[in-house]
């Protein structure tokens, strides 16, 4: 894939890596980047060979600074008229923005965020849709939309108060001020902090561990945890029972215990 593209998309050994690649614009989300990200996620959802996704950014200046204030936001407010096919797709295909932020789009494969720097606005909104988050020491997190007369609209008004204490979520949303990686860790918004030079290896090591597990089981875990959020215990237990039935009927569920008893690595087929 060309290194000049705004989104790099690679697959290796069952692990897909998506990289925001506009370092000159602090990896801001342009219409083209949003469309390419939406398309890549759709491909990943359908590709049985992909078991885990890593999402990161190029360089060490920013993970993603959010929607491009010169290209994307003016287009969406009507201050700029569409000029390219990417512009027209962003305006005419509402699922592009939703899918690029994993909002209203089912992706049951685990997504690991490797946050290499400041994570702002739409970049943070996408991170809130990921499952596991590793941050470099210089990472910061903010939803500064209110400072521009805007609001977060890619899931944060719903997701953030569910993932961190509501009072902290309200402070971030209403002031637009950033918090440090240490504050994000203390709030439970990220899993761990590592030195910048260790970030991608930490993400890859974790991705490999997940990819080695039974894909049917892994995907049912994610599907059920997300679906059960906010429902009653009884309804959640029904979802868990349905997931158990699907997993127990799989070839992988027979292979795992058999491999353990035979003292060999399991060979999971994802079925």
């Amino acid at each position: 894939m060309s290194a000049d593209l705004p989104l790099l998309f690679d697959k290796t050994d069952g692990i897909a890596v998506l990289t925001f690649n506009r370092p000159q614009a602090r990896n801001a989300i342009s219409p083209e980047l949003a469309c390419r990200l939406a398309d890549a996620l759709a491909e990943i959802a359908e590709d049985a060979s992909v078991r885990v996704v890593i999402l990161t950014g190029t360089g060490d200046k920013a993970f993603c600074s959010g929607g491009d204030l010169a290209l994307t936001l003016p287009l969406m407010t009507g201050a700029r008229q569409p000029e390219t096919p990417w512009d027209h797709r962003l305006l005419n295909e509402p699922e592009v923005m939703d899918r690029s932020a994993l909002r209203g789009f089912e992706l049951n494969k685990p997504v690991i965020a490797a946050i290499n720097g400041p994570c702002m606005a739409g970049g943070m909104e996408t991170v809130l849709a990921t499952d596991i988050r590793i941050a470099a020491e210089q990472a910061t997190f903010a939803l500064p939309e209110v400072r521009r007369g805007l609001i977060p609209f890619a899931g944060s008004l719903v997701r953030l108060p569910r993932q961190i204490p509501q009072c902290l979520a309200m402070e971030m949303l209403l002031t637009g001020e950033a918090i440090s990686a240490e504050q994000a860790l203390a709030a439970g918004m990220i899993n761990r902090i590592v030195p910048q030079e260790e970030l991608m290896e930490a993400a890859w090591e974790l991705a490999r561990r997940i990819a080695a597990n039974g894909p049917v089981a892994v995907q049912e875990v994610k599907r059920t945890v997300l679906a059960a959020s906010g429902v009653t215990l009884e309804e959640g237990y029904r979802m868990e029972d349905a997931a158990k039935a699907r997993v127990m009927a799989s070839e992988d569920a027979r292979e795992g215990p058999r491999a353990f008893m035979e003292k060999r690595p399991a060979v999971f087929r994802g079925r």
Side-chain angles (χ1 to χ4, degrees):
M1 177 168 288
S2 171
D4 295 330
L5 293 177
L7 180 78
L8 305 182
F9 178 18
D10 298 295
K11 302 176 191 176
T12 305
D13 298 330
I15 299 169
V17 181
L18 299 172
T19 307
F20 296 124
N21 188 43
R22 300 184 70 224
Q24 74 285 358
R26 297 177 63 81
N27 293 327
I29 302 170
S30 65
E32 181 180 356
L33 195 160
C35 291
R36 288 187 180 276
L37 179 58
D39 293 346
L41 290 169
E43 180 179 331
I44 287 167
E46 296 298 322
D47 187 344
S49 72
V50 175
R51 298 187 178 186
V52 187
V53 181
I54 297 173
L55 179 65
T56 191
T58 296
D60 58 4
K61 301 301 182 185
F63 169 77
C64 176
S65 59
D68 192 307
L69 294 177
L71 296 175
T72 306
L73 274 302
L75 181 69
M76 299 184 73
T77 63
R80 183 174 78 82
Q81 294 303 303
E83 303 167 31
T84 69
W86 307 108
D87 291 347
H88 285 283
R89 279 195 67 191
L90 196 66
L91 288 179
N92 299 322
E93 299 177 29
E95 65 273 16
V96 165
M97 286 300 295
D98 279 350
R99 193 161 67 239
S100 68
L102 292 170
R103 180 180 182 269
F105 172 70
E106 187 174 276
L107 180 67
N108 295 318
K109 300 170 184 185
V111 181
I112 300 168
I115 305 160
N116 55 299
C119 178
M120 306 291 180
M124 178 169 163
E125 295 206 87
T126 303
V127 161
L128 292 177
T130 64
D131 304 294
I132 300 173
R133 303 153 196 172
I134 305 172
E137 294 165 317
Q138 73 268 28
T140 56
F141 300 84
L143 292 164
E145 283 85 347
V146 290
R147 294 185 171 194
R148 309 287 182 261
L150 305 166
I151 65 168
F153 52 77
S156 292
L157 300 184
V158 179
R159 286 172 171 151
L160 188 62
R162 297 186 183 197
Q163 296 185 16
I164 66 175
Q166 181 168 330
C167 56
L168 177 57
M170 292 300 286
E171 182 176 353
M172 292 185 69
L173 288 164
L174 295 174
T175 67
E177 294 174 358
I179 64 172
S180 66
E182 289 79 8
Q183 289 172 300
L185 181 64
M189 195 166 74
I190 61 176
N191 293 71
R192 69 193 69 148
I193 301 170
V194 299
Q196 172 72 27
E197 62 273 15
E198 299 176 14
L199 178 66
M200 288 308 296
E201 181 50 41
W204 270 97
E205 192 274 334
L206 187 56
R208 292 187 194 103
R209 284 162 51 196
I210 295 172
N213 296 332
V216 175
V218 166
Q219 291 175 37
E220 285 298 332
V221 166
K222 177 172 177 176
R223 184 202 311 272
T224 306
V225 168
L226 293 182
S229 175
V231 307
T232 65
L233 280 174
E234 290 75 16
E235 188 176 353
Y237 293 152
R238 286 194 292 271
M239 293 177 179
E240 189 175 75
D241 287 342
K244 178 184 73 174
R246 288 190 290 268
V247 171
M248 291 303 183
S250 70
E251 293 179 21
D252 284 355
R254 294 188 286 276
E255 165 64 8
R258 183 169 57 241
F260 178 80
M261 295 303 296
E262 294 173 359
K263 297 180 172 54
R264 62 172 175 81
V267 180
F268 294 119
R269 305 294 185 186
R271 57 180 186 263

